[in-house]
Amino acid sequence: MNRIRSLALPIAVTLTAGALSALAAGTAQAADVNVARNGGFESGLANWSCTGGTGASVSSPVYAGSGALKATPAGQDNARCSQTVTVKPNSTYTLSTQVQGSYVYLGATGTGTQDVSTWTPGSGAGWQKLSTTFTTGPSTTQVTVYTHGWYGQPAYVVDEFSVFGPDGGGGTDPGPSVPGAPAGAAVSGQSASALTLSWNAVGSATGYHVYQDGVRVKTVTGGASTQITGLTASTSYSFQVSAYNAAGEGPKSAPVTGTTTGTDPGPGPGPAVPKHALTGYWQNFDNGATVQKISDVSAQYDIIAVSFADATTTPGAITFNLDSAGLGGYTVAQFKADIAAKKAAGKSVILSIGGEKGTISVNDSASANNLANSAYALMQEYGFTGIDIDLENGLNPTYMTQALRSLSSKVGSSLVITMAPQTIDMQSTQGGYFKTALNIKDILTVVNMQYYNSGSMNGCDGKVYSQGSVDFLTALACIQLEGGLDPSQVGIGVPASPSGAGSGYVSPTIVGNALDCLTRGTSCGSFKPSKTYPGLRGAMTWSTNWDAKAGSAWSNSVGPKVHGLP
């Protein structure tokens, strides 16, 4: 929870009116070609120019083929790699690429109309597709397309760079061939009404078609798994997957069968989370804050996140080790009894995964299953009612989604799932955290973004706001509220005292003003949302221990405010 820092990053994603109308009309022409040269970097850096010698051709990792571009920002150089492509005037082009790394940008300049760019805050360990569209001016015949990283960040990797549109006469690489059949199709995450289907990615594919009992039911882009919903309990289904790209659709995979479970296991033993809830992280260690037992946590808190789970030598698997010595002889038996008592009082006690020193990675199906199985075992052993995802080094949305859905299928509808991303993690719906939250929207309880230890960030109005103000809380919450999350899935995370974080502390009064602004439209700063969100879930703090150290001033003020929301 104790972050190092975040960066204020500019966002510039602009589509011209011509580009928007072209998209709306679905004007992708059969004659469109990729006017970029060596977009797969199979010929090293031919046709490409990278600033300051920051770029190199690598053979691993690659998205497809045998080569990719790897570029490393250095000092004031953001490792910009570009090429100039030949285009037709008054034409629309789709610019896209596959990327790995943090803060990777894609854009075009010299379009003759409106230059465009897009970016991702992080792709985790997997590949992520970036894409945007531009329209050329009436006399534009050449456009510079580029990719770059961000200052002070690690190297990024790019592959399968393309600029699809009318042939400008500058020559093109050979077109793609029809992709082969996906291998490794498998079914997991069974529930009474849904199954999760996954398969091995096909390098030349731009997307996949999913067939259920011979009928196409879904098209998937940006991943190699999907959840099939609306199924009948205790019923077997046959699935196949085909890959497609600009050359057409390839053959279907071998069929795989999955069977839904019986009736939903029901609400289970956990209490329901109230409409408006206060979340607090409880420290399983002594760092100068008040040492607490679970029974000591203020009754104002509706969700208590035990911090933290421990990694094991098995990828993705977690365990929990109570620091009995550091907590004054707190025994495991007392800990379990205190959890049971809180649950009896209507509180949810969950296990937080990650933290500043968390080293848990979920990057494939095996580690996803390990996380789900180990989390479920800990819930049974200790009585936890859910888990919190607080991975500070990013996450893979495909496999974290698989893990959480698998856990949900084991626990049932009473499962509590919370998240605590950094501000930078929720700036774009293309980020790993935001994608995961949207992927599991039907089972997600709340995202308590951490509005602290952060640099300045963009609000939903495109303006930059500095931490420590009511505007920072409301304008950043607006991104999540307008980006697809339900108001009940959005909470405001702040430190309980100045000692709880390196920066970003705000008084309980500021928290209350932000809650009033978002739910009632009152007490706003310079930013006022276009509508109110009375269903907002509430607020979170790090931590119940620092709150107790400060005389419970935070929970005694913010708790009643949250519970009194409309």
Side-chain angles (χ1 to χ4, degrees):
M1 297 292 293
N2 191 9
R3 307 288 189 226
I4 304 301
R5 64 186 176 91
S6 292
L7 300 174
L9 301 177
I11 296 179
V13 182
T14 309
L15 294 179
T16 65
L20 285 171
S21 62
L23 285 174
T27 56
Q29 301 290 325
D32 284 355
V33 298
N34 181 11
V35 299
R37 303 298 300 272
N38 190 28
F41 304 96
E42 311 303 324
S43 301
L45 295 186
N47 303 102
W48 289 91
S49 175
C50 297
T51 57
T54 54
S57 176
V58 296
S59 58
S60 179
V62 297
Y63 183 81
S66 59
L69 165 69
K70 183 175 183 179
T72 307
Q76 297 302 308
D77 191 335
N78 61 10
R80 186 178 190 267
C81 296
S82 63
Q83 72 166 271
T84 299
V85 297
T86 303
V87 295
K88 275 190 173 182
N90 296 319
S91 300
T92 298
Y93 291 83
T94 298
L95 172 63
S96 67
T97 189
Q98 296 286 341
V99 302
Q100 275 193 34
S102 301
Y103 316 128
V104 188
Y105 284 71
L106 173 71
T109 62
T111 62
T113 57
Q114 189 75 35
D115 292 347
V116 299
S117 69
T118 186
W119 68 290
T120 174
S123 64
W127 289 95
Q128 180 179 330
K129 185 176 181 179
L130 289 181
S131 181
T132 187
T133 305
F134 64 87
T135 298
T136 56
S139 60
T140 302
T141 58
Q142 288 190 320
V143 171
T144 298
V145 292
Y146 65 86
T147 181
H148 67 73
W150 197 252
Y151 309 104
Q153 298 300 307
Y156 68 92
V157 185
V158 169
D159 201 0
E160 297 304 293
F161 195 104
S162 65
V163 186
F164 271 97
D167 189 350
T172 63
D173 288 336
S177 58
V178 174
V187 172
S188 62
Q190 290 91 343
S191 71
S193 60
L195 296 168
T196 297
L197 179 66
S198 61
W199 56 91
N200 296 339
V202 177
S204 60
T206 56
Y208 303 90
H209 296 312
V210 176
Y211 293 83
Q212 176 184 316
D213 296 328
V215 178
R216 185 191 294 182
V217 294
K218 207 167 189 179
T219 296
V220 179
T221 59
S225 69
T226 188
Q227 187 186 47
I228 312 298
T229 58
L231 305 179
T232 303
S234 302
T235 303
S236 293
Y237 296 89
S238 177
F239 299 100
Q240 290 176 284
V241 184
S242 67
Y244 68 87
N245 59 19
E249 179 182 3
K252 297 177 185 176
S253 67
V256 61
T257 300
T259 304
T260 52
T261 62
T263 57
D264 191 281
V273 175
K275 177 182 178 181
H276 299 298
L278 196 72
T279 301
Y281 285 78
W282 175 85
Q283 298 177 189
N284 180 38
F285 50 86
D286 180 5
N287 66 346
T290 299
V291 172
Q292 290 184 312
K293 297 179 174 65
I294 293 292
S295 56
D296 297 329
V297 175
S298 168
Q300 292 288 350
Y301 292 100
D302 304 291
I303 302 175
I304 303 167
V306 172
S307 310
F308 293 98
D310 298 306
T312 70
T313 56
T314 302
I318 58 172
T319 188
F320 177 72
N321 299 292
L322 183 69
D323 184 11
S324 297
L327 302 181
Y330 195 18
T331 68
V332 171
Q334 289 176 308
F335 178 71
K336 291 179 179 179
D338 288 346
I339 291 176
K342 284 292 185 182
K343 288 168 62 177
K347 312 298 182 182
S348 295
V349 183
I350 64 177
L351 179 61
S352 183
I353 300 171
E356 181 185 9
K357 299 179 181 179
T359 57
I360 297 153
S361 297
V362 179
N363 295 320
D364 54 30
S365 291
S367 56
N369 289 332
N370 291 338
L371 175 59
N373 292 337
S374 58
Y376 183 58
L378 292 171
M379 290 179 66
Q380 292 180 304
E381 179 180 358
Y382 290 95
F384 299 124
T385 54
I387 61 173
D388 168 70
I389 304 301
D390 180 27
L391 297 174
E392 303 216 355
N393 298 311
L395 51 78
N396 183 307
T398 297
Y399 296 111
M400 183 55 71
T401 297
Q402 179 183 325
L404 295 176
R405 288 208 172 277
S406 177
L407 181 60
S408 176
S409 71
K410 299 173 187 294
V411 178
S413 58
S414 67
L415 177 66
V416 175
I417 300 176
T418 69
M419 293 183 174
Q422 302 172 95
T423 52
I424 190 65
D425 295 326
M426 301 300 286
Q427 285 274 286
S428 165
T429 56
Q430 295 305 304
Y433 254 106
F434 215 141
K435 274 189 174 181
T436 302
L438 295 175
N439 285 349
I440 63 164
K441 185 176 177 181
D442 56 316
I443 58 174
L444 174 65
T445 306
V446 63
V447 175
N448 291 305
M449 189 176 77
Q450 302 179 57
Y451 294 78
Y452 52 94
N453 291 343
S454 167
S456 299
M457 286 286 151
N458 291 284
C460 67
D461 57 354
K463 296 180 180 179
V464 177
Y465 294 94
S466 299
Q467 66 178 2
S469 66
V470 66
D471 288 333
F472 189 75
L473 304 182
T474 54
L476 269 67
C478 175
I479 296 176
Q480 300 171 62
L481 293 162
E482 293 300 313
L485 293 182
D486 188 84
S488 67
Q489 295 172 321
V490 177
I492 295 174
V494 295
S497 74
S499 301
S503 64
Y505 171 76
V506 293
S507 70
T509 300
I510 295 297
V511 180
N513 289 344
L515 293 170
D516 282 336
C517 178
L518 292 169
T519 60
R520 298 184 170 96
T522 62
S523 303
C524 299
S526 62
F527 171 80
K528 185 173 183 177
S530 59
K531 62 182 179 181
T532 58
Y533 308 92
L536 193 81
R537 180 68 76 176
M540 171 276 280
T541 197
W542 178 267
S543 62
T544 65
N545 307 73
W546 285 115
D547 183 29
K549 181 81 169 182
S552 299
W554 192 88
S555 57
N556 286 340
S557 175
V558 180
K561 170 63 73 171
V562 166
H563 298 138
L565 291 175

